[in-house]
């Protein structure tokens, strides 16, 4: 097997660390404030109002006479979206085929914040090239249920991991002079009923689970814009929610940027104006063939309200001030924007690197992987093996210049010495069942090959008109259940029977029920939606050119009934309200505390080498602790390990999860090499939100420091009194 050298990408940001947020702007905040006030004083009321609502499908108006440009926005979180004209119609023959990066969940599976920065840098650069001012990402909603159709965009069930990955992404985008837009604020954890459901949760769940990623995006990432969500939160629409936006986001966290509504998420002029919405965007299809954007809630009605003294003009000024702040920060006014680059070789290599580190080896019995030179024939089976995914998912659809499928990647690396055959295995259409003829073709191919590789899992839909007909990972639709669609269970069982040396590669945004075949399958890879270079990454791992290092960013339950949102909480609610009675017990916090065995645990990811942990030292002083330990690669190939640090307090004043992730580091080690890992935990690592006192508290006592290769593969434990 070729050794894989885990060299960092040749991107300066990865070699020198993070740059300062918005490093290229030449103005201080005080200078921006002064320049903004000067512009606001010169603007008419109509010009101000035009700036706070959409004037096309993805822009809000500027003021040309004052040198204020339109504000141009674009999806998606993993590539610059297909080009739209002034209306929502896709622009034909547009030069909009760019770099299709792996989706957000694959990025999170790398557990590598430096790759988060690289990911954002590609997005920012390509947005510049395409003339976009705002990238509508990252999406960081907590993965609460495996059914959420949008989990593929999001990152994790764990707020700490989300925070680390999102900050890297945001800084990468914004160091290119483009604004990131973190979304969806707040409680958009299901697509079913997303435009009507009222989310109810405890203060502890809110503060400990659902807000930390957004807080990190604002206070550490310095994100310039934020998108509100469609749902209600505690009875008030989230995009125009006084508590969430005015009290928490702007007052408590000090957010200086602009709050953008999700498209069509504003429901009231008064509430949007008073409760913190700064820019109202919408889907113009609802306005007819010739949209009149002045009819938005924050359109001409606002002019009338101000002129009749029902709304003070300073409310409008504050919104314009925030928009101008973002514009000055990104040199939209009075500065020179970067030209950007589009679909360069370096960008494609970043996509490949993220896919290589994001694919997760879940199971590998008897060293089935990597394939050895003794393998002379391979049967590749499954529609997903030869199906492009790039234009799927709804609003995050990206047009790729090219996309390497798993079949193409395997054929390329197999070369002339290995015979590769292909059988489709199943149909992709809603309600499709096992196709006996296709299964027969697949088993015949498998029986004649040294190895069978079944590529299955979930699917993306392709566009707004048809995605619900053939998609399980897409916006505005949730999965009906966790079972494998299209008769894939029957296919996999039949292929394993025909050839016990069967490898299963799963595409998709998250967990799928594997109970019917997981015990008989020797090797399983979770590939997510791995982007334009995904097929090459999958093939390199299968053939051993890359040693897998991805780790699950969420727990995979054995069956849907085991998920806390379904076991303890409500999903999808009663059509009007959903109660998060699973509370703080999301993901591994539930499985560990309630002693429920998942199919594959949070943080799991196997390697082709072995890692030994030793020499744990915990140094505690006051309210801080430093944890150090050694990791050695004891195998014969280079590899990378994600060391995970969980914390548990032994004596509790309020119920808390069994343990919680509070630190991690991805360590790259050559064969035989060892390194010391040092993780420093500040007071916030030991705190919890006491809803009786309505504040974060740290109770003195004995804490356990649990070091693992996953949440259940524990290698070292230590104690300290804090």
């Amino acid at each position: 097997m070729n050794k894989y050298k885990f060299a960092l990408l040749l991107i300066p940001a990865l070699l020198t660390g993070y740059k300062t947020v918005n490093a290229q702007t030449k103005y201080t905040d005080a200078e921006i404030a002064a320049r903004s006030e000067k512009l606001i004083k010169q603007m008419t009321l109509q010009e101000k109002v035009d700036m706070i609502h959409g004037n096309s499908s993805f822009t809000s108006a500027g003021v040309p006479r004052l040198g204020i440009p339109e504000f141009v926005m674009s999806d998606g979180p993993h590539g610059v979206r297909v080009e739209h004209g002034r209306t929502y119609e896709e622009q034909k023959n547009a030069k909009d085929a760019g770099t299709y990066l792996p989706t957000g969940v694959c990025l999170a599976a790398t557990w590598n914040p430096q790759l988060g920065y690289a990911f954002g840098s590609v997005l920012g650069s390509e947005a510049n090239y395409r003339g976009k001012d705002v990238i509508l990402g990252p999406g960081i909603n907590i993965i609460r249920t495996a059914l959420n159709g949008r989990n593929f965009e999001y990152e994790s069930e764990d707020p700490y991991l989300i925070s680390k990955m999102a900050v890297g992404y945001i800084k990468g985008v914004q160091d290119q002079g483009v604004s990131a837009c973190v979304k969806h604020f707040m409680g958009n954890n299901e697509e079913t009923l997303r435009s009507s459901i009222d989310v109810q949760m405890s203060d502890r769940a809110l503060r400990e689970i659902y807000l930390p990623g957004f807080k990190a995006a604002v206070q550490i990432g310095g994100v310039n814009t934020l998108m509100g969500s469609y749902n209600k939160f505690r009875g008030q629409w989230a995009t125009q929610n006084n508590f969430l936006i005015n009290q928490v986001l702007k007052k408590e966290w000090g957010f200086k940027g602009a709050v953008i509504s999700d498209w069509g998420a504003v429901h009231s002029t008064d509430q949007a104006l008073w409760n913190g919405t700064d820019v109202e965007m919408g889907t113009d299809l609802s306005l007819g063939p010739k949209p009149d954007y002045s009819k938005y809630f924050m359109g001409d009605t606002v002019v009338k309200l101000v002129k009749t003294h029902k709304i003070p003009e300073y409310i409008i000024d504050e919104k314009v001030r925030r928009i101008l702040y973002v514009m000055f920060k990104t040199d939209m006014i009075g500065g020179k924007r970067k030209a950007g680059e589009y679909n360069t070789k370096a960008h494609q290599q970043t996509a490949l690197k993220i896919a290589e580190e994001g694919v997760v080896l879940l199971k590998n019995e008897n060293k089935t992987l990597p394939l050895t030179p003794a393998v002379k024939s391979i049967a590749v089976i499954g529609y997903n093996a030869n199906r492009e995914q790039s234009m799927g998912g709804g609003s995050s659809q990206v047009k790729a210049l090219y996309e390497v499928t798993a079949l193409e990647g395997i054929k390329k690396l197999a070369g002339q010495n290995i015979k590769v055959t292909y059988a489709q295995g199943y149909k992709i259409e809603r309600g499709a069942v096992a196709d006996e003829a296709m299964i027969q073709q697949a088993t015949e191919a498998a029986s004649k090959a040294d190895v069978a590789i079944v590529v299955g899992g979930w699917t993306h839909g392709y566009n707004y008109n048809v995605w619900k007909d053939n998609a399980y990972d897409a916006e505005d639709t949730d999965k009906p259940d966790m079972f494998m669609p299209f008769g894939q269970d029957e296919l996999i069982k039949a292929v394993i029977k025909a050839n016990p040396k069967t490898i299963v590669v799963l595409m998709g945004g998250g967990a799928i029920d594997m109970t019917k075949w997981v015990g008989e399958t020797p090797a399983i890879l979770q590939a997510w939606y791995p982007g334009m270079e995904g097929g090459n990454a999958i093939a390199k791992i299968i053939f051993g050119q890359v040693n897998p290092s991805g780790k699950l960013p969420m727990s995979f339950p054995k069956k849907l009934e085991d998920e806390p949102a379904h076991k303890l909480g409500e999903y999808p609610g009663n059509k009007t309200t959903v109660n998060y009675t699973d509370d703080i017990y999301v993901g591994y916090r539930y499985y560990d505390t309630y002693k429920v065995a998942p199919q594959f645990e949070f943080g799991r990811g196997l390697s082709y080498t072995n890692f030994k942990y030793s020499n744990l030292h915990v140094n505690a002083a006051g309210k801080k602790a430093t944890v150090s330990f050694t990791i050695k690669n004891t195998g014969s190939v280079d590899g990378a390990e994600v060391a995970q640090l969980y914390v548990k307090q032994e004596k509790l004043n309020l119920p808390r999860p069994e343990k919680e992730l509070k630190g991690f580091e991805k360590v790259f080690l050559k064969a035989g090499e060892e390194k010391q890992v040092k993780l420093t935990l500040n007071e916030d690592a030991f705190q919890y939100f006491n809803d009786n006192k309505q504040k974060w508290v740290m109770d003195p006592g004995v804490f356990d420091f649990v070091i693992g290769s996953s949440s259940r593969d524990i290698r070292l434990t230590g104690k300290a009194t804090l």
Side-chain angles (χ1 to χ4, degrees):
M1 180 180 72
N2 295 326
K3 292 184 178 180
Y4 179 54
K5 305 299 183 183
F6 285 91
L8 291 176
L9 290 169
L10 296 179
I11 296 175
L14 294 184
L15 301 178
T16 60
Y18 292 147
K19 301 175 186 175
T20 303
V21 178
N22 300 314
Q24 72 175 35
T25 186
K26 58 182 177 291
Y27 302 118
T28 65
D29 282 2
E31 290 171 332
I32 290 174
R35 289 174 180 270
S36 297
E37 291 308 311
K38 184 177 179 180
L39 287 172
I40 289 171
K41 288 178 181 178
Q42 299 177 71
M43 295 170 65
T44 66
L45 174 61
Q46 185 66 58
E47 287 171 334
K48 295 174 187 177
V49 171
D50 287 347
M51 287 186 68
I52 67 172
H53 67 82
N55 71 331
S56 82
S57 58
F58 283 95
T59 64
S60 59
V63 186
R65 70 181 184 86
L66 297 177
I68 302 173
E70 283 188 327
F71 208 23
V72 183
M73 309 165 205
S74 177
D75 291 303
H78 49 270
V80 185
R81 187 177 177 170
V82 293
E83 198 63 40
H84 289 273
R86 301 299 295 179
T87 68
Y88 217 76
E89 291 300 313
E90 184 179 334
Q91 216 169 317
K92 303 301 180 184
N93 303 315
K95 294 181 179 179
D96 56 358
T99 302
Y100 167 41
L101 293 159
T103 58
V105 70
C106 184
L107 173 64
T110 71
W111 289 61
N112 188 342
Q114 288 187 313
L115 285 182
Y117 185 96
F119 189 108
S121 297
V122 171
L123 271 180
S125 179
E126 300 212 349
N128 263 327
Y129 184 91
R130 291 268 299 278
K132 312 300 182 185
D133 304 314
V134 181
I135 278 289
L136 301 175
I140 64 167
N141 293 92
I142 289 288
I143 295 175
R144 177 177 178 255
T145 168
L147 299 187
N148 187 357
R150 219 160 175 179
N151 284 344
F152 71 94
E153 285 186 57
Y154 302 150
E155 297 192 350
S156 178
E157 69 188 26
D158 182 77
Y160 182 82
L161 178 57
I162 283 176
S163 298
K164 290 297 185 181
M165 299 305 298
V167 166
Y169 177 122
I170 290 163
K171 289 186 175 184
V173 170
Q174 296 191 170
D175 278 354
Q176 297 296 318
V178 172
S179 292
C181 182
V182 67
K183 62 184 186 182
H184 305 86
F185 193 66
M186 227 294 300
N188 182 194
N189 308 103
E190 63 185 60
E191 291 297 283
T192 299
L193 305 174
R194 68 174 183 173
S195 296
S196 61
I197 202 73
D198 184 7
V199 175
Q200 298 286 333
M201 68 176 71
S202 72
D203 287 336
R204 284 196 70 189
L206 176 69
R207 295 288 182 169
E208 294 184 18
I209 305 296
Y210 295 95
L211 283 184
F214 290 101
K215 184 178 181 180
V218 171
Q219 296 191 334
I220 303 174
V223 71
N224 286 339
T225 66
L226 172 144
M227 184 187 291
S229 60
Y230 283 116
N231 52 282
K232 291 180 180 179
F233 181 79
R234 294 179 177 172
Q236 192 170 54
W237 296 107
T239 291
Q240 52 193 47
N241 190 292
N242 178 59
F243 170 71
L244 288 177
I245 297 176
N246 285 342
Q247 302 305 315
V248 175
L249 176 68
K250 293 184 174 180
K251 183 177 180 180
E252 184 180 328
W253 295 349
F255 178 64
K256 296 180 180 180
V259 172
I260 301 171
S261 79
D262 207 337
W263 270 231
V266 170
H267 295 265
S268 161
T269 298
D270 283 349
Q271 289 193 31
L273 293 178
W274 284 108
N275 294 346
T277 311
D278 297 313
V279 182
E280 179 193 3
M281 298 302 294
T283 302
D284 51 39
L285 299 177
S286 63
L287 300 177
K290 294 183 179 180
D292 183 353
Y293 294 94
S294 69
K295 302 305 181 185
Y296 278 6
F297 287 100
M298 291 171 63
D300 284 352
T301 300
V302 178
V303 177
K304 296 175 185 177
L305 290 173
V306 173
K307 286 184 175 180
T308 56
H309 307 290
K310 294 179 180 178
I311 291 289
E313 192 166 350
Y314 72 78
I315 291 291
I316 316 307
D317 290 350
E318 171 62 15
K319 299 179 188 304
V320 174
R321 190 175 294 115
R322 287 177 174 274
I323 297 167
L324 292 175
Y325 174 84
V326 175
M327 288 184 167
F328 277 113
K329 274 289 187 184
T330 53
D331 283 339
M332 291 178 63
I333 303 173
K336 185 177 181 181
R337 298 289 295 275
K338 292 183 177 182
E341 295 181 315
Y342 200 53
N343 208 350
T344 63
K345 184 66 175 178
H347 290 183
Q348 295 161 9
Q349 288 301 302
T350 298
L352 174 62
K353 179 70 172 175
I354 293 164
E356 289 174 354
E357 290 196 28
V359 173
V360 181
L361 180 60
L362 293 175
K363 186 177 180 183
N364 193 25
E365 289 184 350
N366 304 317
K367 296 184 178 180
T368 301
L369 290 172
L371 299 184
T372 68
V375 172
K376 299 301 180 184
S377 59
I378 301 172
V380 179
I381 297 161
Y383 200 161
N384 271 350
N386 201 34
R387 184 177 191 265
E388 295 180 353
Q389 304 282 355
S390 63
M391 281 292 285
S395 67
S396 66
Q397 60 190 214
V398 178
K399 187 187 294 183
L401 181 64
Y402 66 85
E403 182 177 349
V404 181
T405 66
L407 178 61
E408 291 168 342
I410 290 168
K411 282 185 173 181
K412 179 181 176 181
L413 284 194
Q416 300 298 316
N417 296 325
I418 301 175
K419 180 182 179 181
V420 178
T421 57
Y422 172 67
Q424 182 176 318
Y426 57 90
K427 298 175 183 177
I428 291 182
E429 58 185 43
R430 184 70 78 174
V433 297
D435 187 303
E436 294 301 328
M438 285 188 172
I439 291 177
Q440 179 64 29
Q441 292 172 352
T443 56
E444 287 179 4
S447 66
K448 297 174 183 177
D450 295 333
V451 173
I453 301 174
V454 179
V455 184
W458 300 115
T459 60
H460 266 333
Y462 277 100
N463 60 52
Y464 280 101
N465 296 321
V466 302
W467 83 49
K468 289 185 182 179
D469 294 332
N470 63 9
Y472 289 84
D473 281 320
E475 181 185 7
D476 200 26
T477 183
D478 282 348
K479 303 174 185 69
D481 50 53
M482 219 176 80
F483 298 118
M484 294 194 82
F486 321 129
Q488 291 181 79
D489 282 327
E490 291 87 341
L491 170 68
I492 294 172
K493 288 191 293 183
V495 171
I496 293 171
K497 185 177 180 180
N499 188 336
K501 195 168 184 179
T502 293
I503 300 156
V504 174
V505 178
L506 295 170
M507 312 292 281
I512 202 163
D513 190 319
M514 311 178 200
T515 53
K516 293 182 175 64
W517 48 264
V518 67
E520 289 73 46
T521 308
I524 303 171
L525 283 170
Q526 177 66 41
W528 317 108
Y529 296 111
M532 66 193 303
E533 285 283 340
N536 286 333
I538 291 167
K540 285 184 173 184
I541 288 171
I542 287 172
F543 285 101
Q545 291 188 11
V546 167
N547 190 346
S549 63
K551 300 275 188 176
L552 287 184
M554 82 281 277
S555 308
F556 278 13
K558 290 183 177 180
K559 55 185 185 299
L560 184 63
E561 296 77 38
D562 289 341
E563 283 235 286
H566 302 263
K567 187 74 172 181
L568 302 178
E570 293 181 353
Y571 170 89
N574 63 4
K575 295 187 178 181
T576 59
T577 304
V578 57
N579 293 294
Y580 284 22
T581 44
D582 43 321
D583 202 49
I584 58 175
Y585 299 102
V586 176
Y588 72 90
R589 288 168 167 81
Y590 165 75
Y591 294 104
D592 290 354
T593 305
Y594 285 79
K595 312 303 181 189
V596 177
Q599 188 70 71
F600 294 112
E601 74 275 14
F602 175 79
R604 181 184 178 87
L606 306 180
S607 172
Y608 296 154
T609 190
N610 299 305
F611 300 98
K612 180 183 178 182
Y613 290 64
S614 61
N615 301 323
L616 174 64
H617 298 282
V618 179
N619 296 313
K623 297 180 179 180
K624 297 183 179 181
T626 299
V627 180
S628 63
F629 52 93
T630 301
I631 298 181
K632 183 176 182 178
N633 181 347
T634 59
S636 59
V637 296
D638 301 353
E641 169 71 330
V642 179
Q644 302 158 41
L645 170 58
Y646 299 85
V647 171
K648 172 187 178 181
Q649 187 163 10
E650 293 194 354
K651 185 178 180 180
L652 304 177
N653 290 330
L654 285 179
R656 296 173 70 180
E658 173 68 19
K659 61 180 182 291
E660 298 179 276
L661 181 72
K662 296 298 180 181
F664 66 87
E665 185 170 326
K666 192 161 194 174
V667 185
F668 297 83
L669 296 167
K670 294 185 170 79
E673 184 182 10
E674 67 179 30
K675 289 182 181 178
Q676 185 185 60
V677 177
K678 182 180 288 187
L679 300 171
T680 300
L681 303 184
N682 296 317
E683 181 181 1
D684 59 357
F686 308 105
Q687 291 180 325
Y688 64 96
F689 191 79
N690 187 317
D691 48 0
N692 296 321
K693 298 180 179 180
Q694 281 296 300
K695 66 178 183 179
W696 288 93
V697 299
M698 175 181 173
D699 296 332
V702 177
F703 289 83
D704 295 338
F705 296 82
V706 182
I707 314 295
S709 181
S710 77
S711 60
R712 295 208 165 195
D713 183 1
I714 306 306
R715 304 297 182 89
L716 299 169
T717 57
K719 297 178 185 293
T721 301
L722 292 153

